[in-house]
């Protein structure tokens, strides 16, 4: 059996989505900007996709939802264009974000710092969440933008977007949220709270890779990132990616119709897996389960290094993810893991399991049994569980070489 | 960057089959107890290196025959990734049958080499070389415990890059001989800094005593100082073209003071050196006339000629004097 438990990285494209996309490759391939019927014949499908996205997020008709190539583009667009509009061509010089954002926010912030922008990186609490009141205390009259993720890719923890939105509205500061891990997993109603910009990506909710969007409240000003033609009302140039837009519309509709019901089903399976893991001694789950996306578990298994765990799970054909430094190209510990700071070991032992609506009960049973076996084998090798103590003088000083 | 780098290599695909096999089924994983060693009349040494909070930890067990210092059995326990477990496993295998003195000569390079499937293909991707260093460190520690000496005493030179085992003296020499100016060049010439990258600059995976950026900067500084000293020596022997600017100005001033200035002052004038610029063909000395020289008809003809020919004779035939 193969079990895919890495749905926060990407998801399987729903076959219904593929089916909806297929006619727009070789049958209706016209450029929607063309005047002839080859071009215009795709307009009804595009209009439907736009409707599907607006409906899924309960966006107002006065808002813009602009299709982009991915959420990384959407995040870059907001940050870089706010820099152009309000720092280069305005009197602001400050942005507020968090320590646990996706690299497409953090790396862009570092780039903006090189351009002279001051950035405040808000810390998270032991639940891995930014508390709304900390946002308030860092906003100054020079603050152009606050950017806080809706839910964490690593922990699944949901951030207080409604409260932060109110603070930003009160202070007159623009508010952006990277909604990638929230949309399709939990209800997102853009008219029930105040947020100026929201980034999203279709491949996180069973749509295709290479298509995302940026929500822009009330069609407000935001200098384009990509200049060119008059596509998407001039907001984002580049020939409309017709099949992928159609796919994203279908995917978001499927992911958000009856979302409470679907989420409850996923949550039930997730909780069963989580309960079984908690039965193993010396395991720690990050974050209160009630305030988490219903599909995500981040667990620390004492004495078992994350890459080893991933290795053993992979041998059992289970795909998961680790924030362990050892598994990264540059041996850098995951920033989100370090920011939570519950203990340093989390940075080396964290395993993330993320389910989807396609995860079955049989797969959960299989995953539980393999997880238990992997922990058993790796702990039998682990020095953390050795019984014979070192010769006097042979003890290791805690972390004598490495950064904690 | 080029075509081959467009799709990053999968970490696990870069592991040798030996690494994979030993990770899946380590041969020497386990413990030796004090009682077991004693029952065979042997001495047990147990050494730890690293800690769970650092990301990797290894515990090495040596059962040593005290009559001849031979390691008759060795086992390990490891908290770490696949390459850490495989490195620990091959390390114990390399230790068995050796005397303590022989074992202490095993380096991380030997450990990595023993994990290779064929001699020309690295067993692990560059950033994982670091795991084999743990094996080397824990062996030194165990040997130190057995012999009652400090583990550091086994190290004869200062190792800056442990992954590639490049010493401080080698780095300094290579920078000098090849006139290296960048970290990338150092890595190309010595492999130092090409693996876990901790030794390049502070803030990497490990805290280090020596960093390549500092060694490069300090060596370059020494080289510059030596160059200046050489130039100063050249000044003493009259090699004007190779002096530094400051030395050249001083030399010109000295000649002016000695042979020119007195005549200018007699006529109520003076001059000062403004700048010296070197081109391929000429050394241009820019001067400014002061007092009565300023506007004097001879200042562009006879006086100028006299100054220039004096400097040419005393310093360099390539000198041109340009009043401004």
């Amino acid at each position: 059996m193969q079990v895919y438990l890495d749905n926060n990285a990407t998801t399987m494209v729903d076959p219904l989505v593929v089916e909806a996309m297929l006619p727009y490759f070789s049958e209706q391939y016209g450029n929607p900007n063309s005047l002839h019927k080859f071009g215009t014949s795709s307009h009804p499908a595009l209009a439907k996709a736009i409707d599907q996205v607006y409906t899924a997020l309960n966006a107002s008709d006065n808002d813009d939802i602009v299709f982009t190539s991915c959420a990384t583009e959407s995040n870059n667009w907001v940050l870089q264009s706010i820099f152009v509009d309000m720092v280069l061509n305005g009197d602001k010089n400050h942005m507020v974000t968090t320590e646990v954002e996706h690299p497409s926010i953090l790396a862009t912030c570092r780039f903006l710092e090189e351009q002279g922008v001051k950035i405040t990186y808000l810390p998270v609490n032991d639940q891995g969440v930014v508390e709304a009141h900390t946002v308030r205390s860092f906003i100054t009259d020079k603050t152009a933008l606050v950017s806080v993720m809706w839910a964490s890719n690593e922990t699944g923890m949901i951030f207080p977007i409604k409260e932060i939105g109110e603070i930003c509205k009160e202070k007159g500061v623009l508010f952006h949220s990277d909604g990638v891990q929230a949309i399709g997993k939990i209800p997102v109603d853009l008219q029930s709270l105040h947020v100026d910009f929201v980034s999203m990506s279709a491949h996180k909710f069973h749509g295709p890779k290479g298509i995302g969007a940026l929500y822009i409240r009330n069609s407000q000003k935001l200098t384009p990132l990509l200049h060119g033609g008059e596509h998407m009302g001039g907001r984002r140039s580049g020939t409309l990616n017709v099949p992928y837009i159609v796919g994203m519309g279908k995917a978001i509709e499927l992911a958000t119709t009856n979302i409470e019901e679907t989420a409850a089903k996923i949550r039930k399976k997730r909780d069963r897996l989580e309960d079984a893991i908690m039965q193993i001694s010396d395991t720690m789950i990050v974050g209160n389960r009630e305030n988490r996306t219903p599909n995500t578990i981040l667990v620390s298994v004492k004495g078992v290094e994350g890459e080893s765990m991933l290795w053993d799970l992979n041998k059992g054909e289970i795909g998961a993810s680790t924030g362990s430094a050892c598994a990264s190209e540059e041996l850098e510990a995951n920033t989100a893991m370090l920011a939570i700071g519950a203990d340093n070991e989390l940075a080396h032992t964290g395993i993330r399991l993320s389910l989807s609506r396609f995860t079955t009960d049989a797969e959960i049973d299989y995953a539980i049994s393999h997880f238990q076996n992997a922990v058993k084998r790796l702990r039998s090798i682990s020095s953390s569980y050795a019984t014979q103590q070192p010769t006097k003088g042979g003890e290791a000083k805690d972390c004598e070489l490495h950064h904690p | 960057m080029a075509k081959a780098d467009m799709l990053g290599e999968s970490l696990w695909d870069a592991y040798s089959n030996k690494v994979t096999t030993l990770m899946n089924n380590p041969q020497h994983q386990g413990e030796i107890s004090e009682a077991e060693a004693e029952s065979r009349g042997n001495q047990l040494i147990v050494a730890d290196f690293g800690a769970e909070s650092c990301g990797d930890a290894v515990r090495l067990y040596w059962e040593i025959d005290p009559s001849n210092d031979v390691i008759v059995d060795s086992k390990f326990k490891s908290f770490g990734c696949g390459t850490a477990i495989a490195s620990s496993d091959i390390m114990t295998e390399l230790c068995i049958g050796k005397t303590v003195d022989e074992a202490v000569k095993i380096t991380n390079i030997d450990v990595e080499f023993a994990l290779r499937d064929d001699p020309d293909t690295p067993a692990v991707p560059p950033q994982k070389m670091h795991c084999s260093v743990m094996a080397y460190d824990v062996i030194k520690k165990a040997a130190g415990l057995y012999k009652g000496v400090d583990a550091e005493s086994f190290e004869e030179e200062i190792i800056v890059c442990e992954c590639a085992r490049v010493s401080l003296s080698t780095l300094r020499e290579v920078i000098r001989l090849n006139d290296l100016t960048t970290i990338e060049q150092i890595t190309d010439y010595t492999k130092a800094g090409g693996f876990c990258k901790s030794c390049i600059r502070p803030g990497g995976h490990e805290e280090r005593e020596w960093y390549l950026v500092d060694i490069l900067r300090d060596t370059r500084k020494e080289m510059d100082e030596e160059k200046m000293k050489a130039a100063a020596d050249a000044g003493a022997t009259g090699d004007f073209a190779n002096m530094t600017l400051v030395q050249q100005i001083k030399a010109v001033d000295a000649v002016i003071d000695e042979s020119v200035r007195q005549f200018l002052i007699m006529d109520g004038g003076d001059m000062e050196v403004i700048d010296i610029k070197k081109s391929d063909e000429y050394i241009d000395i820019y001067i400014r006339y002061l007092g009565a020289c300023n506007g004097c008809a001879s200042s562009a003809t006879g006086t100028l000629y006299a100054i220039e020919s004096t400097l040419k004779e005393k310093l360099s035939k390539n000198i041109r004097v340009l009043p401004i």
Side-chain angles (χ1 to χ4, degrees):
Chain A
M1 183 182 271
Q2 285 192 68
V3 183
Y4 184 72
L5 293 177
D6 202 9
N7 287 282
N8 284 7
T10 194
T11 58
M12 177 188 90
V13 183
D14 189 322
L16 293 173
V17 170
V18 178
E19 196 188 322
M21 292 168 70
L22 280 176
Y24 301 94
F25 288 101
S26 303
E27 292 162 32
Q28 298 187 51
Y29 49 79
N31 186 330
N33 276 28
S34 302
L35 295 177
H36 45 66
K37 73 170 190 176
F38 295 92
T40 54
S41 70
S42 65
H43 284 200
L46 288 170
K48 182 178 173 193
I50 290 167
D51 269 346
Q52 285 167 322
V53 178
Y54 274 69
T55 303
L57 302 173
N58 192 27
S60 148
D61 288 355
N62 298 324
D63 302 331
D64 289 353
I65 298 180
V66 183
F67 294 104
T68 60
S69 64
C70 55
T72 292
E73 182 192 325
S74 304
N75 287 341
N76 269 268
W77 179 11
V78 173
L79 268 61
Q80 296 200 43
S81 293
I82 295 285
F83 166 65
V84 170
D85 293 343
M86 304 189 70
V87 179
L88 285 185
N89 296 304
D91 57 357
K92 308 287 186 188
N93 69 354
H94 177 232
M95 296 184 191
V96 176
T97 186
T98 78
E99 286 181 344
V100 296
E101 295 296 312
H102 186 267
S104 60
I105 293 284
L106 291 178
T108 309
C109 282
R110 251 167 256 130
F111 169 72
L112 293 181
E113 281 181 303
E114 286 167 19
Q115 317 300 315
V117 182
K118 291 193 178 63
I119 311 270
T120 300
Y121 299 92
L122 300 173
V124 293
N125 62 16
D126 61 357
Q127 293 278 305
V129 172
V130 162
E131 289 165 18
H133 65 88
T134 62
V135 177
R136 179 189 295 277
S137 62
F138 284 101
I139 293 176
T140 72
D141 56 359
K142 289 287 184 188
T143 307
L145 179 76
V146 171
S147 177
V148 175
M149 66 193 344
W150 205 300
S152 163
N153 50 325
E154 298 293 348
T155 62
M157 292 303 286
I158 299 165
F159 286 58
I161 296 303
K162 192 176 172 71
E163 290 82 346
I164 296 171
E166 273 157 24
I167 292 167
C168 291
K169 191 177 178 184
E170 178 200 319
K171 295 267 187 183
V173 173
L174 292 174
F175 179 36
H176 165 248
S177 182
D178 177 354
V180 163
Q181 295 291 341
I183 291 169
K185 294 193 177 85
I186 55 170
V188 169
D189 179 346
L190 294 173
Q191 290 188 67
S192 74
L193 40 66
H194 175 87
V195 56
D196 293 288
F197 309 102
V198 179
S199 304
M200 65 201 88
S201 175
H203 77 98
K204 305 289 190 188
F205 47 77
H206 303 287
K209 294 161 189 64
I211 187 84
L214 181 68
Y215 162 86
I216 304 174
R217 173 171 297 263
N218 218 0
S219 193
Q220 62 187 294
K221 176 184 162 72
L222 187 71
T223 291
L225 184 67
L226 300 187
H227 303 268
E230 286 301 302
H231 313 94
M232 306 238 76
R235 301 214 76 150
R236 198 275 187 185
S237 296
T239 302
L240 292 189
N241 191 351
V242 179
Y244 284 68
I245 292 170
V246 169
M248 181 165 172
K250 183 70 183 173
I252 203 166
E253 181 184 79
L254 290 168
T256 54
T257 307
N258 300 325
I259 189 166
E260 304 274 8
E261 208 175 295
T262 314
K265 283 182 189 159
I266 298 171
R267 181 187 301 273
K268 204 173 155 207
K269 295 187 180 84
R270 190 272 314 266
D271 289 354
R272 195 158 69 79
L273 176 58
E274 189 169 319
D275 290 342
I277 289 171
M278 280 160 61
Q279 290 296 308
I280 303 170
S281 63
D282 295 335
T283 53
M284 200 252 313
I285 308 273
V286 177
N288 174 354
R289 172 194 283 199
E290 301 311 314
N291 190 36
R292 235 190 289 151
T293 47
N295 75 320
T296 307
I297 302 170
L298 176 62
V299 58
S300 162
V301 183
K302 185 178 165 50
V304 178
E305 191 277 327
E307 190 198 322
S308 290
M309 189 63 195
L310 220 57
W311 177 284
D312 272 30
L313 290 176
N314 185 52
K315 264 198 302 177
E317 300 203 57
I318 297 170
S321 164
T322 177
S324 168
C326 289
S328 76
E329 192 68 22
E330 297 291 328
L331 300 177
E332 293 289 348
N334 185 294
T335 48
M337 304 285 185
L338 291 176
I340 295 164
D343 61 26
N344 292 327
E345 285 156 28
L346 182 61
H348 305 291
T349 59
I351 290 285
R352 183 188 70 190
L353 303 164
S354 46
L355 289 67
S356 81
R357 65 173 186 263
F358 293 100
T359 308
T360 66
D361 276 311
E363 288 173 347
I364 294 296
D365 292 335
Y366 179 88
I368 289 171
S369 128
H370 271 266
F371 198 95
Q372 288 165 339
N373 289 341
V375 172
K376 202 170 154 197
R377 181 182 99 91
L378 293 167
R379 280 185 175 168
S380 80
I381 300 173
S382 177
S383 50
S384 311
Y385 285 82
T387 52
Q388 173 67 50
Q389 292 309 301
T391 309
K392 196 171 178 309
E395 307 84 5
K397 287 173 227 111
D398 193 46
C399 227
E400 45 204 320
L401 277 177
H402 305 50
H403 289 295
Chain B
M1 281 293 287
K3 187 181 172 192
D5 305 312
M6 288 299 129
L7 183 62
E9 186 178 42
S10 161
L11 205 58
W12 291 348
D13 286 349
Y15 292 179
S16 70
N17 289 331
K18 226 177 238 176
V19 169
T20 305
T21 309
L22 295 182
M23 167 55 180
N24 287 338
N25 196 9
Q27 300 298 297
H28 303 283
Q29 175 284 116
E31 299 192 78
I32 304 169
S33 73
E34 200 81 55
E36 286 168 326
E38 249 171 56
S39 72
R40 294 186 280 260
N42 294 328
Q43 188 182 342
L44 180 71
I45 291 289
V46 183
D48 272 359
F49 202 87
E52 198 174 320
S53 58
C54 319
D56 34 22
V58 61
R59 181 169 293 178
L60 172 64
Y61 305 76
W62 275 354
E63 185 177 335
I64 303 166
D65 180 344
S67 68
N68 55 9
D69 291 351
V70 168
I71 300 160
V72 295
D73 196 10
S74 176
K75 290 197 183 295
F76 80 94
K77 286 276 177 182
S78 168
F79 167 88
C81 59
T83 55
I85 290 172
S87 297
S88 302
D89 199 40
I90 208 85
M91 160 189 75
T92 52
E93 195 162 303
L94 290 173
C95 289
I96 295 170
K98 287 196 172 65
T99 64
V100 172
D101 284 338
E102 287 165 349
V104 87
K105 294 201 172 66
I106 298 170
T107 68
N108 61 303
I109 308 267
D110 300 324
V111 169
E112 188 270 332
F113 201 79
L115 288 169
R116 292 185 182 197
D117 294 334
D118 73 82
D120 298 326
T121 312
V124 294
Q127 69 270 38
K128 290 287 190 177
M129 263 309 272
H130 160 83
C131 294
S132 62
V133 176
M134 295 274 295
Y136 171 72
D137 285 325
V138 78
I139 286 175
K140 278 195 298 178
K141 196 154 175 186
L145 287 172
Y146 182 68
K147 298 177 83 98
V149 297
D150 190 52
E152 293 307 311
S153 67
F154 297 110
E155 195 68 83
E156 284 161 4
E157 34 180 12
I158 298 168
I159 300 295
V160 176
C161 169
E162 294 199 85
C163 295
R165 287 196 63 72
V166 184
S167 71
L168 182 59
S169 57
T170 302
L171 284 165
R172 284 180 174 155
E173 196 178 329
V174 170
I175 292 169
R176 282 172 173 282
L177 289 178
N178 303 288
D179 194 19
L180 305 186
T181 55
T182 66
I183 300 295
E184 290 71 31
Q185 286 176 323
I186 294 178
T187 305
D188 286 346
Y189 275 77
T190 67
K191 294 190 181 164
F195 298 95
C196 82
K197 298 185 164 64
S198 295
C199 65
I200 295 180
R201 56 177 59 81
H205 183 55
E206 279 184 8
E207 208 168 305
R208 311 278 315 160
E209 199 180 336
W210 294 88
Y211 293 103
L212 296 182
V213 285
D214 300 329
I215 296 166
L216 178 63
R217 187 197 55 229
D218 294 345
T219 308
R220 293 300 310 181
K221 198 174 154 219
E222 279 170 27
M223 289 164 71
D224 285 345
E225 282 167 4
E226 281 160 23
K227 229 183 247 171
M228 282 202 287
K229 192 168 170 294
D233 292 346
T237 59
D239 188 2
F240 184 75
N242 288 324
M243 290 180 188
T244 67
L245 180 62
V246 174
Q247 287 164 348
Q248 286 177 333
I249 290 174
K250 276 187 183 160
V252 170
D253 271 340
V255 172
I256 301 283
D257 279 347
E258 190 187 310
S259 319
V260 178
R261 184 156 281 130
Q262 47 184 321
F263 301 108
L264 299 178
I265 291 172
M266 270 197 304
D267 289 336
D270 200 356
M271 60 159 281
E272 59 180 356
V273 178
I274 302 296
D275 199 4
I276 299 176
K277 286 205 160 71
K278 245 189 284 192
S279 64
D280 290 341
E281 228 178 314
Y282 295 107
I283 303 167
D284 290 331
I285 300 177
Y286 292 88
I287 63 162
R288 183 157 63 192
Y289 287 115
L290 303 168
C293 291
N294 221 343
C296 165
S298 171
S299 69
T301 55
T303 307
L304 181 64
Y305 179 76
I307 296 170
E308 190 173 273
S309 51
T310 309
L311 289 170
K312 271 184 164 166
E313 184 200 332
K314 304 254 180 184
L315 297 172
S316 163
K317 61 180 169 36
N318 296 330
I319 284 175
R320 284 195 306 193
V321 176
L322 305 165
I324 53 172

